Amino acid sequence: MNEKVEVSVVCITYNQEKYVSKMLESLVNQKTSFRYEILIHDDASTDETPNIIRKYEKRFPNLIKAICNEQNQFALGKNPNIEQNYPRVKGKYIAYCEGDDYWSDENKLQLQYDSLEKNDDCSVCVHSVNCISENDTVLEQSFPIIEIPEGIILSNEYYKLELCKTGWLFQTSSYFIRTSVVRKFVNDYKENTYPVGDLPLILFSVAQGNCYYIKRFMSCYRMNSGGYMTKLKYNKNRITHCKEFINGHKNFDKITRFKYHQYFEYAIKEREIEIFLNEKNYRKIWSNKYYENRKNMSLRRKILLAIGFIFPNIAYEIERNIDGWAD
């Protein structure tokens, strides 16, 4: 085996003692024809997560390189990957896995590596991802949520699918990106105006080249009922979240020199509609400005909007109390 590191796996953990062992096992058990490294940043966990990581680091000293901070970097407004993981990367490619997710296929890295080695026009490789519960039960939801054939997704098509069709096309644990692209992302994208970090990363990466999709489930994303997105639903934080997404879209539209403007414009309208829904302002959604967005809504969503036009409080309670009814 070549001693040169070909792939760097970056991982951020925080208070995930229940899950981190499974995640690490899935990373160290990859079967590859090349050398890879695992770069972990623990963001000042207050549970047993750092101790578990250190035990694995002792077992696999040539594979795992951990940084366990005593002060939370996110609280300081810093991105641990950008500040402490990316500078340590030695590989030609970077793969991702969060502390509560895990890889479910021991050949994941090899398959993604081979795909990008064979496709120079692709900057990213992704794959299908299962969603699981806190107790590891496989859920009906998975990524991508739409049917896509295996193979190359052209950059323009990826933007269309991401911004207009799904809102979240591929989950982060499937990302496999050329290191040169990630370094360009860090250098060129200085200020993230999105409320999340993975969306600008994938949008920037796909703007540098096409994406190769492997239609095979090779990782699991844990749906946490007490997670960030759950807390955002149906409250004032959700409105703030949507406004931040709108600002992020506008900023990224400029960064890409309006090459994908029609898709960003559509996505911005989607967030504006979310704001109106949370404000019970259903009448505004019926303006001509949102015709294309309404046309692509489900029948149940259209019925909800019709009810909301006359009885906004009733429509709001239907969506709030019957989660997913209008999806």
Side-chain angles (χ1 to χ4, degrees):
M1 182 184 292
N2 192 336
E3 286 304 305
K4 181 183 176 182
V5 173
E6 290 291 315
V7 177
S8 299
V9 183
V10 297
C11 177
I12 298 175
T13 61
Y14 178 70
N15 285 352
Q16 291 157 330
E17 61 182 3
K18 288 172 60 179
Y19 311 116
V20 72
S21 292
K22 186 160 190 172
M23 181 274 293
L24 289 170
E25 286 291 333
S26 74
L27 268 54
V28 301
N29 287 322
Q30 288 291 299
K31 292 184 177 180
T32 66
S33 61
F34 53 83
R35 185 182 171 194
Y36 67 99
E37 63 180 356
I38 301 170
L39 307 177
I40 303 175
H41 174 277
D42 181 76
D43 206 15
S45 293
T46 57
D47 62 4
E48 284 298 304
T49 301
N51 293 331
I52 296 171
I53 291 170
R54 290 301 187 194
K55 288 178 182 178
Y56 272 86
E57 187 178 34
K58 288 181 180 179
R59 284 177 57 195
F60 303 96
N62 296 322
L63 188 57
I64 297 177
K65 308 296 180 185
I67 294 176
C68 296
N69 273 342
E70 294 184 359
Q71 191 170 13
N72 188 280
Q73 298 302 293
F74 273 116
L76 297 174
K78 298 179 180 180
N79 184 313
N81 271 337
I82 293 176
E83 297 286 337
Q84 298 188 336
N85 275 342
Y86 291 157
R88 298 187 288 153
V89 164
K90 296 178 181 178
K92 181 180 179 181
Y93 303 104
I94 298 177
Y96 295 79
C97 194
E98 298 300 307
D100 54 352
D101 302 331
Y102 65 90
W103 295 347
S104 54
D105 192 320
E106 62 186 8
N107 298 305
K108 168 187 156 70
L109 285 186
Q110 186 69 57
L111 289 170
Q112 293 193 282
Y113 176 86
D114 291 342
S115 295
L116 287 193
E117 286 288 290
K118 295 174 183 175
N119 294 279
D120 293 336
D121 61 327
C122 293
S123 58
V124 185
C125 180
V126 294
H127 57 73
S128 304
V129 178
N130 280 310
C131 293
I132 57 172
S133 66
E134 291 185 2
N135 61 5
D136 287 339
T137 301
V138 177
L139 306 174
E140 288 186 13
Q141 183 178 341
S142 62
F143 292 90
I145 62 172
I146 58 176
E147 187 67 22
I148 302 175
E150 179 164 329
I152 294 176
I153 305 173
L154 299 178
S155 297
N156 186 73
E157 181 65 13
Y158 193 103
Y159 267 80
K160 181 179 180 180
L161 294 173
E162 177 76 54
L163 297 172
C164 304
K165 300 296 183 181
T166 65
W168 190 5
L169 188 55
F170 291 102
Q171 203 276 328
T172 316
S173 62
S174 75
Y175 293 178
F176 189 92
I177 307 174
R178 295 185 189 276
T179 299
S180 59
V181 172
V182 176
R183 296 212 187 285
K184 183 174 174 58
F185 169 73
V186 173
N187 290 331
D188 294 358
Y189 190 66
K190 294 297 185 181
E191 185 177 352
N192 181 20
T193 52
Y194 280 110
V196 295
D198 48 2
L199 180 59
L201 171 64
I202 196 65
L203 289 179
F204 186 93
S205 300
V206 175
Q208 311 308 308
N210 299 321
C211 174
Y212 194 90
Y213 169 46
I214 301 174
K215 197 171 184 176
R216 175 165 164 168
F217 289 98
M218 296 198 287
S219 66
C220 293
Y221 166 62
R222 198 174 301 278
M223 304 281 286
N224 187 344
S225 61
Y228 175 63
M229 296 305 294
T230 303
K231 293 175 182 176
L232 286 171
K233 248 187 172 182
Y234 309 116
N235 57 42
K236 63 181 180 181
N237 291 334
R238 185 69 190 177
I239 294 175
T240 300
H241 180 76
C242 288
K243 289 180 178 178
E244 289 172 345
F245 255 100
I246 290 171
N247 289 334
H249 286 331
K250 289 180 178 178
N251 182 41
F252 222 90
D253 196 14
K254 293 178 184 177
I255 289 173
T256 52
R257 299 182 179 182
F258 306 102
K259 184 177 181 180
Y260 310 103
H261 178 68
Q262 60 179 319
Y263 307 140
F264 279 112
E265 191 174 52
Y266 184 94
I268 288 169
K269 291 175 185 176
E270 284 290 290
R271 293 295 175 174
E272 289 174 345
I273 287 173
E274 280 192 65
I275 292 173
F276 296 148
L277 287 172
N278 278 273
E279 292 176 339
K280 306 180 190 178
N281 198 343
Y282 294 87
R283 287 179 177 266
K284 281 194 174 181
I285 304 172
W286 284 98
S287 73
N288 289 335
K289 177 182 178 180
Y290 304 105
Y291 172 75
E292 287 297 323
N293 301 73
R294 290 201 311 273
K295 190 170 69 172
N296 294 324
M297 289 178 181
S298 67
L299 178 59
R300 284 187 171 184
R301 171 66 67 186
K302 292 174 182 176
I303 293 172
L304 187 79
L305 294 186
I307 295 172
F309 189 86
I310 304 172
F311 306 109
N313 288 330
I314 293 176
Y316 183 79
E317 288 304 314
I318 289 174
E319 187 158 32
R320 184 178 180 183
N321 294 321
I322 310 177
D323 189 25
W325 183 86
D327 292 343

